[in-house]
Amino acid sequence: MSSKVTFLHILALILSLLILPAFAVQTLTQFHKRSGEQQPLVVELFTSQGCSSCPPMDRWLSGFKQETGLWQYYFPLAFHVTYWNYLGWRDPFAKRAFSQRQYDYLNHKGISQVYTPQLVINGREWRPGRQALLPDESDKRALVGRLSLTIEGQEFTASFDSRLASNEGLTLHLALLGSGMATQVGRGENSGKRLVEDFVVLSHEHFRGIDATQVSFSGTVGALPGEAREAKRLAWVAWIEQDYLPLQAVGDWLENEPIDE
């Protein structure tokens, strides 16, 4: 083996270690969770670092870190949209696909208009002030079925033991979330602020299921997004959706304790 090849191999190894957080190599590719049968709350916040009214709602979403029902009853997701990017500050977490998801809700009548910050709970617009900030955890929830997710290496498998009247059009959504994401905003409505955000969606993919009483899914986990390097904690969240209505979900942190500063 030539010294040139050896050097290139060493350089590649060093770069791979720099790219991944310390906990990611092992835990990002080893994951298994199974839900209960009752429908949880999938709480989607459409937000932007360019929006001056968004940081208070971002902080509210961060409060789910202290909820005992996190990853059992509550599944918070912060989708950063792109349409504020042209008004002074480019949000590093914003993706066109996330803006499109918000417009898809509009087109399917889940929301009445598009704005930030906007809460969508189980596929329906939720307006704090007009309604309680969240449905009561003690509310009776529908029995929809159990969702299981396993990630091994770059491959994942999932199954949904459905209790629905129909399994037509079921999709599995898989998202990698980053928490403790710190950004010093240099321009726009939040200029000069240091924003620390949690449950930020870093990647989001969806897959069609194979219809049966037990609906199965399989696929490949995408490459780790570069923004994951900035996360203090990462989490996987997967949820089953039918006609833009989230029905069941699983998720968890990818490490037991936050990474030290």
Side-chain angles (χ1 to χ4, degrees), residues 65-87:
K65 292 187 297 184
Q66 279 72 53
E67 290 288 346
T68 56
L70 180 63
W71 310 136
Q72 286 84 43
Y73 182 62
Y74 301 117
F75 293 85
L77 304 156
F79 286 99
H80 285 235
V81 298
T82 55
Y83 47 83
W84 279 92
N85 285 1
Y86 313 102
L87 299 173

Side-chain angles (χ1 to χ4, degrees), residues 36-156:
E37 290 191 300
Q38 290 184 306
Q39 184 178 22
L41 290 185
V42 177
V43 181
E44 300 177 56
L45 174 64
F46 292 94
T47 184
S48 172
Q49 292 183 353
C51 161
S52 61
S53 57
C54 285
M57 283 304 298
D58 293 330
R59 290 192 292 271
W60 173 81
L61 198 74
S62 293
F64 281 103
K65 292 187 297 184
Q66 279 72 53
E67 290 288 346
T68 56
L70 180 63
W71 310 136
Q72 286 84 43
Y73 182 62
Y74 301 117
F75 293 85
L77 304 156
F79 286 99
H80 285 235
V81 298
T82 55
Y83 47 83
W84 279 92
N85 285 1
Y86 313 102
L87 299 173
W89 175 252
R90 187 174 183 83
D91 188 328
F93 307 124
K95 291 181 171 60
R96 288 185 180 180
F98 301 165
S99 300
Q100 185 60 53
R101 180 167 177 83
Q102 193 178 22
Y103 277 96
D104 286 343
Y105 274 133
L106 179 69
N107 294 333
H108 286 79
K109 313 302 182 184
I111 61 177
S112 60
Q113 58 184 310
V114 167
Y115 57 90
T116 56
Q118 184 172 46
L119 274 179
V120 178
I121 299 178
N122 285 359
R124 294 290 180 256
E125 184 175 11
W126 194 268
R127 289 179 178 266
R130 296 185 183 180
Q131 301 157 296
L133 195 53
L134 278 178
D136 192 325
E137 188 174 349
S138 65
D139 287 351
K140 185 176 181 179
R141 294 174 280 149
L143 295 175
V144 295
R146 294 183 186 274
L147 173 62
S148 298
L149 171 70
T150 297
I151 300 174
E152 292 283 350
Q154 295 301 112
E155 306 296 321
F156 81 86

Side-chain angles (χ1 to χ4, degrees), residues 4 7 9 25 71 80-81 87 135 144 168 191 196 211 232:
K4 180 178 180 180
F7 172 77
H9 277 78
V25 176
W71 310 136
H80 285 235
V81 298
L87 299 173
V144 295
E168 183 178 356
S191 179
V196 180
D211 286 356
K232 299 301 180 185

